[in-house]
């Protein structure tokens, strides 16, 4: 059976996330003034303030929503929208009926407006303009456009992008940024209307100026919700539409396009040069490529220059050009070499790719560790080519530079594949023993030597190393767990020592750790045949810790 509404609780949870969804359940009683339209549902939801929430039922991606609470203004599907959605789902049969009424009202309104005379419509518009300043601004701008008064239109657009009326102490704060953005959107709409009215050349000029004004304004605005980026993208689209309609001079447009893409203005507009291929034609695009290459030669490490050259080279299938751009600014750790190698792989040029990857290792300075992903790439290539010893050499160098358990494991895997693990293991353990003797530890505590020996399953050697060089409590616990069956007395000593400080702490996580240790102690006593001693220890612990009710319940649950 078809649903009465086009969403359910699962949709709300997916949009909001578990936390906001559960918090939204607590706001059901705060939802008021629900209004259903044809494709939207609005309400006021009372929280810290009274917020206006709107569910959009027929969006391009299905259900969506907007709310003017701080979380919603950041583009999130907030708890207030969840509360509104749950309120709607409580009476799903009402939504289709109310949407039908809203559609009927819209049709009745359209019919009424169509029946009005010209004088009556004019009076109605004047009435609305007198009451709605935003509408008045939009219509004033449309009127100036219709008159062909480009001077007036440009002046009005400059006013709309002026931050002064909204700025406090020279800055437009978050609370005022949305209103500023709405005003700036009016300018964007007016520019787009010029193209529709057959004045595309004027729209080109004004859209470029508007992009510049918007860019100049952005540093003085708290645009946390990204509204300016949406306006910038709309201005870019209006400019492209105007260019397609007016077919401006390709040389001038190419120069403007490259200048724009290499400037700070593109941060807001995100123009893709390839979108202009149909406007510029082959000659214009050739000029774009030439101008871009000249700019890149002047500033080979510039981010904008590199991005533009990379985009153009990719689109044109110019692999050598793409490689040249990146080869001009190589990272010392070989990560750029790896990017080049992968691009060459994609182009089917595997031999060149391998050479670039090897250069990344060879050219890395002595004080810079090669990128781990580059080493992984080369080891994979060497393994496929049966160059197993070369892979081992790379892994040994990687381990020697940073002696971690992860690097030890990679070395072990490569050396086992090459049949030389025993010799490589001895070399690696020499380095780890030297580190342990100098008290060098892994980033999460304890000497890597103990972890490596444990990972090898060499528990006896790991225990000796821990006794000789010291170990982290985490490592002692792992040692005790692995040695419990053959060293129950030694393991028991570890468990008792680790449990001691937990007796003075509280919290469910602590109780879980303590219970786990007690279960391990019980196993040790069973192996030793000293169950009575464990029972006495447990009784004493229960008597001492009896006030910790959660701990007592946990012990009961585990039969302790």
């Amino acid at each position: 059976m078809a649903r009465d509404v086009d969403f359910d609780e699962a949709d709300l949870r997916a949009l909001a996330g578990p936390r906001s969804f559960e918090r939204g359940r607590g706001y059901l009683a705060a939802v008021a003034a629900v209004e259903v339209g044809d494709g939207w549902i609005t309400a006021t939801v009372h929280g810290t303030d009274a917020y206006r929430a709107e569910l959009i039922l027929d969006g391009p991606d299905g259900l969506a929503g907007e709310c003017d609470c701080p979380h919603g203004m950041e583009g999130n599907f907030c708890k207030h929208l969840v509360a509104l959605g749950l309120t709607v789902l409580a009476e799903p049969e009402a939504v289709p009926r109310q949407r039908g009424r809203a559609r009927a009202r819209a049709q009745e309104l359209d019919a009424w407006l169509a029946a009005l005379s010209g004088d009556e419509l004019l009076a109605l518009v004047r009435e609305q303009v007198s009451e709605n300043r935003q509408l008045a601004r939009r219509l004033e701008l449309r009127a100036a456009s219709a008159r062909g008064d480009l001077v007036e239109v440009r002046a009005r657009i400059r006013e709309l992008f002026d931050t002064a009326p909204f700025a406090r102490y020279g800055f437009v704060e978050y609370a005022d940024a949305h209103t500023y953005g709405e005003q700036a959107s009016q300018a964007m709409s007016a520019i787009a209307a010029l193209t529709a009215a057959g004045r595309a050349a004027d729209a080109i000029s004004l859209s470029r100026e508007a992009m510049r004004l918007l860019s100049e304004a952005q540093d003085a605005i708290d645009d946390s919700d990204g509204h300016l980026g949406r306006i910038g993208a709309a201005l870019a689209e209006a400019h492209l539409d105007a260019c397609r309609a007016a077919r401006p001079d390709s040389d001038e447009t190419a120069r403007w396009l490259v200048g724009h893409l290499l400037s700070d203005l593109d941060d807001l507009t995100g123009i893709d040069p390839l979108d202009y291929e149909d406007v510029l034609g082959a000659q214009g695009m050739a000029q774009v490529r030439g101008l871009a290459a000249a700019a890149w030669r002047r500033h080979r490490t510039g981010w904008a220059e590199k991005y533009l050259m990379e985009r153009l080279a990719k689109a044109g299938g110019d692999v050598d050009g793409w490689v040249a751009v990146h080869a001009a600014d190589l990272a010392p750790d070989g990560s750029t070499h790896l990017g080049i190698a992968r691009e060459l792989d994609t182009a089917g040029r595997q031999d060149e790719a391998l050479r670039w990857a090897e250069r990344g290792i060879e050219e890395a300075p002595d004080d810079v560790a090669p990128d781990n992903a580059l080493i992984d790439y080369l080891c994979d290539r060497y393994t496929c080519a049966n160059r197993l010893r070369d892979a081992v050499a790379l892994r040994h160098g990687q381990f020697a530079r940073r002696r971690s358990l992860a690097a030890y494991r990679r070395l072990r895997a490569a050396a086992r594949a090459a049949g030389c693990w025993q010799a490589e293991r001895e070399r690696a353990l020499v380095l780890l023993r030297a580190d342990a003797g100098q008290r060098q530890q892994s980033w999460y505590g304890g000497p890597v030597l103990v972890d490596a020996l444990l990972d090898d399953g060499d528990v006896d050697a790991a225990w000796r190393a821990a006794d000789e060089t010291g170990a982290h409590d985490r490592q002692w616990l792992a040692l005790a767990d692995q040695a419990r069956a053959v060293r129950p007395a030694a393991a028991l000593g570890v468990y008792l020592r680790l449990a001691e400080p937990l007796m003075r702490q509280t919290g469910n996580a602590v109780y879980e750790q303590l219970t786990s240790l007690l279960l391990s102690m019980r196993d040790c006593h069973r192996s030793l045949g000293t169950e009575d001693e464990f029972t006495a220890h447990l009784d004493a612990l229960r008597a001492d810790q009896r006030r910790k009710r959660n701990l007592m319940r946990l012990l009961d649950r585990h039969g302790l």
Side-chain angles (χ1 to χ4, degrees):
M1 184 177 70
R3 291 186 299 180
D4 292 317
V5 293
D6 296 328
F7 63 90
D8 56 21
E9 286 194 11
D11 296 320
L12 296 174
R13 184 185 293 275
L15 287 167
R19 185 179 180 192
S20 288
F21 180 82
E22 292 303 325
R23 295 183 71 187
R25 289 185 182 277
Y27 279 78
L28 294 179
V31 179
V34 177
E35 182 180 358
V36 179
D38 185 17
W40 52 265
I41 304 173
T42 65
T44 298
V45 185
H46 296 277
T48 308
D49 290 302
Y51 298 115
R52 193 65 177 167
E54 178 176 345
L55 291 175
I56 301 165
L57 304 178
D58 302 324
D61 298 318
L63 180 68
E66 296 179 356
C67 182
D68 58 6
C69 72
H71 192 55
M73 291 288 284
E74 293 176 358
N76 299 298
F77 198 93
C78 65
K79 61 189 177 185
H80 307 110
L81 290 167
V82 171
L84 174 54
L86 293 174
T87 300
V88 171
L89 290 174
E91 296 185 84
E93 69 285 347
V95 174
R97 184 173 63 253
Q98 293 182 52
R99 288 188 70 174
R101 290 175 181 170
R103 191 177 299 114
R105 289 195 300 271
Q107 292 170 349
E108 291 168 0
L109 176 59
D110 188 64
W112 176 71
L113 289 171
L116 292 177
S117 68
D119 288 342
E120 288 171 327
L121 279 173
L122 182 58
L124 179 62
V125 171
R126 284 172 174 164
E127 177 187 336
Q128 295 302 310
V129 165
S130 67
E131 296 175 357
N132 188 328
R133 188 56 192 151
Q134 294 285 351
L135 176 61
R137 287 196 185 99
R138 286 197 295 272
L139 293 179
E140 288 166 0
L141 196 50
R142 290 287 184 91
S145 298
R147 292 194 308 271
D149 189 349
L150 191 60
V151 174
E152 176 63 18
V153 173
R154 178 171 279 110
R156 296 290 295 122
I157 286 177
R158 287 174 177 168
E159 288 178 11
L160 291 172
F161 280 107
D162 185 11
T163 60
F166 303 91
R168 304 176 189 178
Y169 312 107
F171 187 78
V172 181
E173 298 179 353
Y174 178 81
D176 300 311
H178 182 74
T179 305
Y180 172 82
E182 289 295 323
Q183 179 173 296
S185 294
Q186 296 174 26
M188 180 271 298
S189 299
I191 292 169
L194 284 171
T195 299
R199 301 182 57 200
D202 291 340
I204 292 173
S205 172
L206 289 173
S207 59
R208 293 180 183 180
E209 182 169 2
M211 291 180 206
R212 178 181 58 78
L213 292 170
L214 186 65
S215 179
E216 291 172 354
Q218 68 173 325
D219 290 338
I221 300 173
D222 180 355
D223 186 36
S224 299
D225 65 353
H227 199 58
L228 297 187
R230 291 189 287 275
I231 296 171
L235 284 171
E237 184 177 353
H239 179 266
L240 180 58
D241 289 343
C243 286
R244 284 172 173 159
R247 295 292 167 179
D249 178 74
S250 62
D251 288 346
E252 186 280 331
T253 304
R255 288 193 297 274
W256 174 85
L257 182 60
V258 172
H260 177 89
L261 292 169
L262 297 181
S263 72
D264 293 337
L265 303 182
D266 194 45
D267 291 344
L268 283 172
T269 58
I271 287 176
D272 186 340
L274 301 181
D275 288 341
Y276 284 77
E277 283 187 291
D278 59 331
V279 172
L280 296 170
Q283 179 180 336
M285 286 303 296
Q287 183 167 3
V288 166
R289 291 187 173 88
L291 291 169
W296 173 68
R297 285 192 292 270
R298 290 193 298 270
H299 190 200
R300 292 178 184 267
T301 60
W303 183 90
E305 288 82 357
K306 286 174 62 178
Y307 171 78
L308 179 55
M309 283 292 292
E310 178 183 354
R311 186 78 182 95
L312 294 170
K314 271 268 195 185
D318 182 6
V319 177
D320 291 325
W322 190 95
V323 169
V325 170
H326 290 269
D329 186 25
L330 295 169
D333 66 352
S335 55
T336 315
H337 296 76
L338 175 60
I340 292 173
R342 286 174 171 161
E343 189 68 21
L344 290 168
D345 273 334
T346 302
R349 296 159 60 175
Q350 281 76 20
D351 290 344
E352 293 175 74
L354 179 60
R355 183 57 193 144
W356 267 103
E358 289 175 331
R359 278 184 56 186
I361 300 295
E362 296 164 2
E363 295 173 5
D366 292 339
D367 59 343
V368 175
D371 182 53
N372 287 332
L374 173 61
I375 295 174
D376 292 343
Y377 171 90
L378 273 171
C379 286
D380 288 343
R381 290 292 304 267
Y382 288 159
T383 300
C384 291
N386 204 32
R387 295 173 56 183
L388 302 180
R389 290 284 182 170
D390 290 333
V392 172
L394 274 178
R395 291 303 188 191
H396 181 83
Q398 183 183 33
F399 174 77
R401 282 184 295 271
R402 186 180 181 188
R403 293 184 282 282
S404 66
L405 178 59
Y408 183 82
R409 287 170 171 167
R410 295 188 187 101
L411 172 61
R412 182 175 61 201
R416 280 178 173 170
C420 59
W421 172 229
Q422 195 56 44
E424 285 298 327
R425 182 174 187 261
E426 288 305 318
R427 293 175 66 195
L429 291 178
V430 167
L431 295 174
L432 292 180
R433 288 190 181 99
D435 289 345
Q438 297 172 11
R439 294 296 189 266
Q440 291 187 21
Q441 301 185 348
S442 65
W443 66 270
Y444 51 91
V448 180
L449 173 64
V450 175
D451 288 324
L453 292 170
L454 274 173
D455 204 61
D456 283 340
D458 194 346
V459 179
D460 289 339
W463 199 291
R464 287 195 301 273
D467 278 335
E468 293 168 1
T469 65
H472 190 274
D473 284 347
R474 167 191 60 80
Q475 294 173 317
W476 276 117
L477 179 59
L479 279 165
D481 287 343
Q482 290 196 34
R484 189 165 63 216
V486 294
R487 293 186 176 207
L492 178 60
V494 173
Y495 295 138
L496 286 168
R497 180 180 65 79
L498 295 178
E500 180 61 29
L502 299 180
M503 306 280 283
R504 298 185 294 274
Q505 301 175 36
T506 59
N508 290 336
V510 171
Y511 302 155
E512 291 279 0
Q513 294 177 51
L514 182 55
T515 300
S516 177
L517 289 171
L518 287 168
L519 290 169
S520 298
M521 290 181 208
R522 184 175 65 184
D523 289 345
C524 292
H525 279 290
R526 284 174 176 171
S527 297
L528 293 167
T530 55
E531 290 94 336
D532 291 344
E533 185 177 330
F534 175 73
T535 300
H537 175 78
L538 183 61
D539 289 344
L541 182 147
R542 276 182 166 275
D544 182 61
Q545 304 286 312
R546 63 184 180 278
R547 297 179 185 275
K548 299 176 180 177
R549 288 175 291 180
N550 284 357
L551 174 60
M552 295 299 107
R553 281 194 286 267
L554 195 58
L555 295 178
D556 291 339
R557 191 184 310 153
H558 288 278
L560 291 172

